[in-house]
Amino acid sequence: MTVFRISEAAELLGVSTDTVRRWVDAGRLAATRDEHGHRLVDGVELAGFVRAQAAEPDGRAEFSSARNRLRGIVTAVVRDTVMAQVDIQAGPFRVVSLMSREAVDGLDLKVGSIAVAVIKSTTVVVERAAPGGPRGRNSS
């Protein structure tokens, strides 16, 4: 079973450790304590939390360009006899990969695992968000 320290969970989610602590204190994210009193978050719990958060719209607008290597947490693995679909939540970004079942099994990808989505594309679109809110929002 994969567990994460508060700082590791914060890094995966792209938030501060204080934010994760507040979520735990408010009961939004379950955590246990180890023998030293440090809080630990179960990987499956964190994946469920991330899935729920991804469904909520984010009103923050940022000026950035995404990198081609996105480190995140596996939130879903769906296999059939030949192929598999792996969903990764990398901060606020959901990345879905279709690959062979053999590759998924070889990488031992499971919900709650850490994975890196490496994206190679001939076209990369870079957008600059409008100040004051999400794209398409009327600020008047």
Side-chain angles (χ1 to χ4, degrees):
M1 176 170 68
T2 305
V3 295
F4 300 98
R5 295 185 317 245
I6 294 292
S7 61
E8 293 171 319
E11 180 184 343
L12 288 169
L13 299 175
V15 298
S16 71
T17 55
D18 288 337
T19 296
V20 176
R21 283 189 193 101
R22 283 192 297 274
W23 288 338
V24 169
D25 291 342
R28 292 182 62 197
L29 179 61
T32 59
R33 292 197 184 261
D34 66 11
E35 63 274 7
H36 304 291
H38 299 121
R39 296 181 202 197
L40 301 174
V41 178
D42 174 74
V44 174
E45 285 282 334
L46 185 59
F49 179 79
V50 169
R51 269 193 308 273
Q53 296 303 306
E56 296 177 12
D58 184 1
R60 294 180 295 172
E62 297 181 11
F63 304 99
S64 67
S65 177
R67 306 269 181 190
N68 289 335
R69 296 179 56 87
L70 303 173
R71 183 173 185 262
I73 186 169
V74 175
T75 58
V77 178
V78 179
R79 294 177 174 93
D80 69 15
T81 55
V82 177
M83 297 298 293
Q85 175 181 315
V86 178
D87 292 22
I88 299 170
Q89 192 71 35
F93 306 105
R94 176 178 176 236
V95 179
V96 178
S97 178
L98 301 176
M99 64 184 77
S100 70
R101 180 184 178 135
E102 181 181 3
V104 170
D105 293 342
L107 291 170
D108 195 28
L109 293 175
K110 297 176 181 154
V111 170
S113 301
I114 299 295
V116 177
V118 180
I119 302 163
K120 181 175 171 141
S121 176
T122 57
T123 303
V124 177
V125 176
V126 178
E127 295 178 344
R128 181 175 170 151
R135 192 177 89 199
R137 182 176 172 180
N138 187 347
S139 59
S140 55

